[in-house]
Amino acid sequence: MRKIEKQMKLHHTEQDQLKELYATIEHTTQNFLGYPVSKDFDYSELMPFLKFPLNNLGDPFGESTYRVDSRAMEREVVNFFAKLFRAKEDQSWGYVTNGGSEGNLYGLYVARELYPKAIVYFSEATHYSIQKNITLLNVDHIIIKSQENGEIDYQDLKEAISYNRHRPAVVVANIGTTMTEAKDNTRTIKSLLEEMAIEKHYIHADAALAGGFAPFIKPRPVFDFEDGIDSISVSGHKFIGSPMPSGVVIVKKDNRDRIARRIAYIGSSDATITGSRNGHSPLFLWYAIKKLGIEGFQKRTDHSLAVASYTEKRLNELGIKAWRNPNALTIVFPAPDPEIIKKWQLATEKGHSHIICMPNVTFEQIDSFIADIEYTLCESV
Ligand SMILES: Cc1ncc(COP(=O)(O)O)c(C=O)c1O
């Protein structure tokens, strides 16, 4: 016994490694404006649960022989999002994923099982997880042009589908593209499919970031089940914020029933991408939802939008051509000095950078960022 305990102690060099990692993370987490991750959370009340090997193996809505789990909470999280996304009561199903990418894989997997001969259409501004998932699923696809603001080019989509009218169509709608947070209008996409009489069609919404707050924006963006979608994926660690990546995927129940298989070993049905599933992340999401409530979500949305509007204004006042899509938290502007990109960890692509005003971003932080920009502008004169 004593021998095992001795072995389980970290060597002092390893303890130093841990300390060093902690200090680095503590530092890098401070100036963080370029990625959509909220950091204003406190889950300390849940720390005792880290003692348990929580595993939500199998279907969250069915029984399982493995009961060291948080599946009751997971069901509440799924139902909460299903309601936010206006899914028909008792006609939807979902689970807590490892992130938005897994939710996208799941949506496309369901679509492929429904229409194995379909072509998947998505815009060039789409997140790389879609291309990867399509490769994994081995389905045909066509990339559609984007408009300048990052929204899908509906005319190009229409033309691409019209050349392939004999094939079922799966369209991925971006509810907030990664670089410009552009939202594709799912009602327009649905009407386009119906006008062309493509009976076998499926719309998956990738709402990784904006799914967390789109239901609280006025006017409400057109993106959910009442607006024609068949499935949706949202990240949990983005707008809500969580120490580990997580997400939620919601699909129509009938479609999900086609892919579920009963597995005796786990005493549950196998309807998810992975077998073992994180049992802590649903608990963290449940906790955040309960603490925030609808009012908390609304407040976070309003705060983020106010900071985004302020950032855009401050950059414009400096003569920088900053812009954002309607009611977006993302401000796009010409890439600044490399030192600024490094310090503030700004995602940069094709000569443009962006700031994402997540709920933890404060007006003071933006002032400090603007001061850095002003300094580089003065230096360059
Ligand atoms: C539009 C979009 N889709 C999907 C993802 C992937 O989400 P996750 O990182 O949760 O897998 C991202 C991540 O930034 C994204 O911006």
Side-chain angles (χ1 to χ4, degrees):
M1 183 69 187
R2 207 177 287 147
K3 198 171 172 197
I4 291 174
E5 269 172 24
K6 200 171 162 207
Q7 280 174 348
M8 285 175 80
K9 269 202 172 155
L10 284 183
H11 191 268
H12 66 87
T13 55
E14 292 153 348
Q15 280 171 352
D16 288 347
Q17 246 180 308
L18 274 187
K19 278 187 205 146
E20 202 181 307
L21 176 67
Y22 189 91
T24 307
I25 294 172
E26 208 176 26
H27 174 70
T28 52
T29 200
Q30 278 162 16
N31 299 326
F32 190 81
L33 290 179
Y35 292 89
V37 178
S38 301
K39 299 175 297 155
D40 54 340
F41 50 75
D42 176 9
Y43 293 105
S44 40
E45 215 174 328
L46 298 182
M47 289 310 118
F49 288 92
L50 292 179
K51 282 191 303 204
F52 304 116
L54 298 186
N55 190 333
N56 288 9
L57 202 59
D59 182 345
F61 288 87
E63 288 304 311
S64 171
T65 353
Y66 191 108
R67 290 192 355 256
V68 185
D69 65 20
S70 65
R71 293 179 327 140
M73 268 77 167
E74 183 175 11
R75 288 193 286 275
E76 284 193 47
V77 172
V78 170
N79 289 337
F80 175 84
F81 278 100
K83 201 167 167 200
L84 275 190
F85 300 148
R86 302 189 301 179
K88 284 205 178 109
E89 220 180 321
D90 300 327
Q91 290 181 36
S92 61
W93 181 90
Y95 72 96
V96 173
T97 62
N98 286 307
S101 306
E102 183 185 336
N104 284 339
L105 175 59
Y106 195 76
L108 291 169
Y109 172 42
V110 169
R112 190 201 60 183
E113 293 306 285
L114 211 54
Y115 303 125
K117 298 211 159 67
I119 294 180
V120 180
Y121 302 87
F122 57 92
S123 83
E124 57 186 330
T126 301
H127 187 256
Y128 66 90
S129 62
I130 297 290
Q131 178 75 59
K132 179 170 56 187
N133 291 335
I134 276 170
T135 307
L136 286 172
L137 292 167
N138 194 24
V139 286
D140 292 342
H141 70 278
I142 293 178
I143 299 179
I144 307 299
K145 276 192 237 159
S146 293
Q147 302 176 48
E148 232 174 274
N149 71 337
E151 192 173 344
I152 197 165
D153 182 327
Y154 302 99
Q155 189 54 36
D156 195 39
L157 175 65
K158 191 171 176 181
E159 276 169 28
I161 295 175
S162 71
Y163 285 127
N164 298 283
R165 289 178 67 151
H166 56 293
R167 304 268 301 265
V170 174
V171 183
V172 176
N174 287 310
I175 312 306
T177 55
T178 310
M179 279 311 284
T180 67
E181 208 185 308
K183 299 180 190 79
D184 301 338
N185 185 313
T186 57
R187 234 182 256 165
T188 306
I189 294 171
K190 181 90 177 168
S191 308
L192 200 140
L193 290 160
E194 285 172 352
E195 274 164 27
M196 284 192 287
I198 312 288
E199 226 173 83
K200 292 182 176 168
H201 65 251
Y202 187 105
I203 302 175
H204 171 73
D206 176 2
L209 165 63
F213 59 92
F216 304 98
I217 292 177
K218 294 173 196 83
R220 186 181 168 102
V222 177
F223 77 100
D224 64 12
F225 285 93
E226 280 198 15
D227 298 321
I229 64 161
D230 297 280
S231 55
I232 186 164
S233 164
V234 58
S235 302
H237 55 287
K238 291 194 165 89
F239 191 71
I240 295 178
S242 142
M244 68 286 270
S246 66
V248 178
V249 65
I250 315 271
V251 300
K252 291 181 176 168
K253 198 164 177 301
D254 286 353
N255 294 341
R256 169 263 174 204
D257 288 345
R258 290 168 180 259
I259 57 174
R261 286 182 317 135
R262 179 106 200 132
I263 307 290
Y265 168 64
I266 58 171
S268 181
S269 68
D270 178 26
T272 52
I273 298 283
T274 61
S276 283
R277 293 190 303 111
N278 192 327
H280 288 96
S281 55
L283 183 58
F284 280 57
L285 288 181
W286 175 88
Y287 183 83
I289 287 169
K290 293 292 164 186
K291 282 197 99 174
L292 286 172
I294 293 294
E295 204 184 313
F297 272 86
Q298 187 67 59
K299 272 196 189 146
R300 283 168 89 70
T301 306
D302 295 344
H303 166 79
S304 300
L305 286 171
V307 177
S309 162
Y310 178 72
T311 309
E312 185 186 9
K313 184 172 135 277
R314 291 289 318 265
L315 285 167
N316 287 334
E317 280 167 1
L318 291 180
I320 294 170
K321 287 199 174 100
W323 64 277
R324 67 190 175 113
N325 272 302
N327 285 322
L329 311 188
T330 306
I331 300 99
V332 186
F333 51 100
D337 190 277
E339 279 303 309
I340 300 245
I341 294 179
K342 193 170 166 220
K343 174 172 174 186
W344 293 94
Q345 302 172 56
L346 304 180
T348 302
E349 195 182 279
K350 295 182 189 154
H352 281 87
S353 300
H354 69 200
I355 280 185
I356 310 184
C357 296
M358 298 306 291
N360 64 287
V361 176
T362 60
F363 290 97
E364 291 74 25
Q365 236 178 333
I366 296 301
D367 286 342
S368 154
F369 165 75
I370 292 286
D372 281 353
I373 293 258
E374 262 179 321
Y375 182 75
T376 57
L377 289 180
C378 290
E379 275 217 316
S380 66
V381 174

